[in-house]
Amino acid sequence: MRRLVLIPIFLVIGCGPHLIKTAAIVSLETSKAVMALQEKVKEYHDTGIINDAGYQVWKESFVKLSDVGIALDKALREGNDQKVIEQIKAGIGFLDFLIQNGIPKIPQDKQVLIMVLIESARSILVAIAAAHGGA
Amino acid sequence: MPDIEKIALLIKVGSDVAALLIPFLISHGEGEAAKEVIDILAQADVNWKTIGDRAKDPNY
């Protein structure tokens, strides 16, 4: 009986830090992908590739993505699966919104790079959603 | 199992035990491991906040 109790404790002690670290790294990597996207879009605006109206669409979406990211990080830290799924769905929704409404504001020859950056962030979010039963 | 599934499984378990494990690790002398995880999460927090701050900045 004592052995049965000890096994999960050893599992938690042995694997726990690595598992939590994985969840933490995923949140960090998603934020890096969104930051890279934000910097590239700003560069396009600064060089006149995207006009002010088009840039505004992107800026508003980045504010929403930031809120979602902060809430996602908090939910991951708390181990709250339901909140994690809610935030991921919201995040994917905003990225899909950008594909529909932000991409057309960019000249066609520059769209591929931006799509790759969006998909990079999106695929990380989908992986977390799958892990939490929300895919 | 494809790598993506392994990663997903790791995240699932990691997230579920996070709330319990961080204080547990600290109380059992594994403060360094707990601190490393908290530091990574803190970096993510900073990045997410930076994204929002930049987007709200009219000069950015």
Side-chain angles (χ1 to χ4, degrees), chain A residues 53-99:
Chain A
Y55 189 51
Q56 197 54 37
V57 172
W58 284 91
K59 286 191 90 169
E60 285 167 11
S61 294
F62 284 129
V63 172
K64 290 168 185 166
L65 276 170
S66 164
D67 291 342
V68 167
I70 290 167
L72 170 63
D73 206 30
K74 186 169 180 283
L76 277 171
R77 204 177 320 206
E78 291 170 351
N80 188 329
D81 278 3
Q82 195 184 340
K83 280 188 186 170
V84 167
I85 292 167
E86 283 172 14
Q87 296 309 320
I88 286 173
K89 282 182 177 170
I92 290 171
F94 289 130
L95 290 173
D96 285 342
F97 174 84
L98 280 174
I99 291 172

Side-chain angles (χ1 to χ4, degrees), chain A residues 12 16 19-21 24 26-28 31 35 38-39 42 55 59 62-63 66 69-70 73 77-79 81 131-132, chain B residues 8 10-16 18-19 21 36-37 40-41 43-45 47-48 51-52 54-57 60:
Chain A
V12 166
L19 298 172
I20 301 176
K21 197 170 162 182
V26 164
S27 179
L28 179 62
S31 71
M35 277 185 104
Q38 186 180 35
E39 282 162 14
K42 180 186 185 295
Y55 189 51
K59 286 191 90 169
F62 284 129
V63 172
S66 164
I70 290 167
D73 206 30
R77 204 177 320 206
E78 291 170 351
D81 278 3
H132 289 263
Chain B
L10 286 173
I11 296 162
K12 163 76 177 166
V13 181
S15 170
D16 285 348
L21 199 57
E36 196 180 350
V37 173
I40 295 169
L41 284 167
Q43 283 180 59
D45 263 350
N47 282 356
W48 287 121
I51 291 165
R54 282 176 176 178
K56 288 171 194 164
D57 181 355
Y60 187 87

